[in-house]
Amino acid sequence: MSALLSVENLRVSFPTHRGRVEVVKGVSFELGRERLGIVGESGSGKSMTGRSILKLIHKPGLVTADRMEFDGVDLRSQSEKQMRAIRGARISMVMQDPKFSLNPVMTVGEQIAEALVTHEKLPRREVNERILAMLEAVRINDPTRVAGLYPHEVSGGMGQRVMIAMMLIPSPELLIADEPTSALDVSVQAQVLDIIDDLVTTKGMGLILISHDLNLVSRYCDRILVMNSGVVVEECAAGQLERATHPYTRGLLAAMPVLNEQREELPVLDRTQWAGT
Ligand SMILES: Nc1ncnc2c1ncn2[C@@H]1O[C@H](COP(=O)(O)OP(=O)(O)OP(=O)(O)O)[C@@H](O)[C@H]1O
Ligand SMILES: [Mg+2]
């Protein structure tokens, strides 16, 4: 099977007062219809790698690669117009901060509709049906009501689900999810990732999940790239992570909380003393 995406020697640089600084320094990887995790600490170049694929790095940022191919298409030579036909329709990206990605003056339903009709001409009734079905797929109860809300009227977790609905409604072949749940509390985080996982698996899509959380990436991905200072320092199957050899990966592993770790029992709060006051 040929790869869905191949990236070879990807470099991203920005000018600074000390001259050009490379923030991605020769990253290479291949992706099939599988779930690839990119993990690494803040500033390691994860988002820049994800954004480069969609050509979302603007001047004065500079992106070069020996190869950047998506399903036989050389992304490097695509014009901005050609990229607009790929973005959303074939490759979607859930951005790190959904607050900046949702339009504050459009209802949730209108925004999801726009994501759909930009790429497909459909009768209005069908558009409405697909929006409600998509909102249900991201487990929003009462989709009819939520479709009529504005972004400031939905909670953080719901906003992130709306983003995922927008990104998935045109059925892309590849989803790049950049810290899609970092702003959420742990229980909602798991729900949102389960939804992404479910949709990716049933639609047979490729997924790039970007996160600083090794635990999370190893749970939701088949393969993992570990990045540090703009370089891939380790690449392995999620199941082989314990055998990772790079000192940076070993450090991340050592910092990971263990589920059945023995900890001192936390004291139970005595609430009776407040009762009735
Ligand atoms: N417009 C810019 N100009 C200069 N440097 C930039 C610019 N955008 C990003 N960088 C630098 O590029 C490096 C990589 O950034 P990137 O956003 O890819 O990190 P990241 O791994 O996604 O981190 P985080 O986990 O915090 O999201 C950082 O050191 C950042 O400061
Ligand atoms: Mg980032």
Side-chain angles (χ1 to χ4, degrees):
M1 193 189 76
S2 70
L4 186 59
L5 178 74
S6 352
V7 175
E8 253 176 60
N9 196 23
L10 172 69
R11 291 176 185 271
V12 181
S13 63
F14 290 97
T16 67
H17 57 275
R18 291 172 288 122
R20 271 207 170 261
V21 170
E22 269 195 337
V23 297
V24 176
K25 305 169 187 161
V27 164
S28 304
F29 63 91
E30 291 221 328
L31 176 83
R33 292 189 187 272
E34 61 181 328
R35 302 168 304 169
L36 176 74
I38 302 184
V39 70
E41 67 194 8
S42 184
S44 54
K46 306 180 298 294
S47 293
M48 292 298 128
T49 301
R51 295 175 67 101
S52 305
I53 297 163
L54 278 171
K55 294 181 98 167
L56 287 172
I57 294 176
H58 303 293
K59 280 181 184 150
L62 181 71
V63 179
T64 63
D66 292 346
R67 186 181 157 105
M68 194 136 74
E69 211 168 88
F70 170 70
D71 194 27
V73 177
D74 185 352
L75 294 173
R76 295 169 310 169
S77 62
Q78 298 295 293
S79 66
E80 180 52 29
K81 186 164 174 237
Q82 288 170 315
M83 281 313 295
R84 277 203 291 271
I86 292 175
R87 279 186 213 122
R90 303 198 63 195
I91 310 176
S92 265
M93 184 161 179
V94 177
M95 298 284 184
Q96 201 159 358
D97 197 337
K99 281 197 286 293
F100 296 116
S101 310
L102 291 173
N103 183 339
V105 298
M106 264 171 103
T107 65
V108 160
E110 284 165 349
Q111 296 190 56
I112 301 176
E114 197 177 73
L116 183 60
V117 299
T118 318
H119 303 290
E120 267 176 85
K121 292 280 161 278
L122 295 168
R124 185 69 224 184
R125 197 173 47 83
E126 199 182 328
V127 170
N128 288 342
E129 278 166 11
R130 293 220 0 217
I131 292 169
L132 296 184
M134 196 68 228
L135 285 172
E136 262 168 35
V138 295
R139 317 231 171 98
I140 284 183
N141 300 324
D142 198 0
T144 314
R145 187 182 67 85
V146 173
L149 298 178
Y150 287 91
H152 73 271
E153 296 173 310
V154 301
S155 68
M158 226 189 242
Q160 222 132 17
R161 287 173 216 214
V162 169
M163 279 296 299
I164 294 167
M166 265 173 78
M167 294 306 138
L168 291 177
I169 202 162
S171 298
E173 292 137 87
L174 170 61
L175 176 70
I176 303 173
D178 190 357
E179 305 270 8
T181 59
S182 56
L184 306 177
D185 67 58
V186 178
S187 61
V188 186
Q189 205 175 57
Q191 275 179 20
V192 171
L193 285 166
D194 285 339
I195 293 166
I196 293 182
D197 190 50
D198 197 42
L199 293 170
V200 164
T201 316
T202 52
K203 289 175 191 272
M205 293 162 50
L207 172 72
I208 298 181
L209 178 63
I210 297 176
S211 173
H212 59 271
D213 185 342
L214 191 56
N215 221 336
L216 188 144
V217 158
S218 59
R219 184 141 35 102
Y220 286 95
C221 295
D222 308 306
R223 210 149 53 80
I224 296 176
L225 296 183
V226 181
M227 282 186 76
N228 188 20
S229 307
V231 181
V232 173
V233 294
E234 185 115 36
E235 180 176 354
C236 65
Q240 309 275 300
L241 202 55
E242 292 94 78
R243 281 182 240 163
T245 50
H246 193 277
Y248 178 71
T249 319
R250 301 263 18 131
L252 284 181
L253 281 167
M256 242 161 75
V258 182
L259 265 185
N260 50 9
E261 193 177 20
Q262 293 290 318
R263 289 252 168 114
E264 289 283 285
E265 207 172 308
L266 292 171
V268 178
L269 278 177
D270 180 9
R271 295 186 190 282
T272 53
Q273 57 182 317
W274 293 297
T277 57

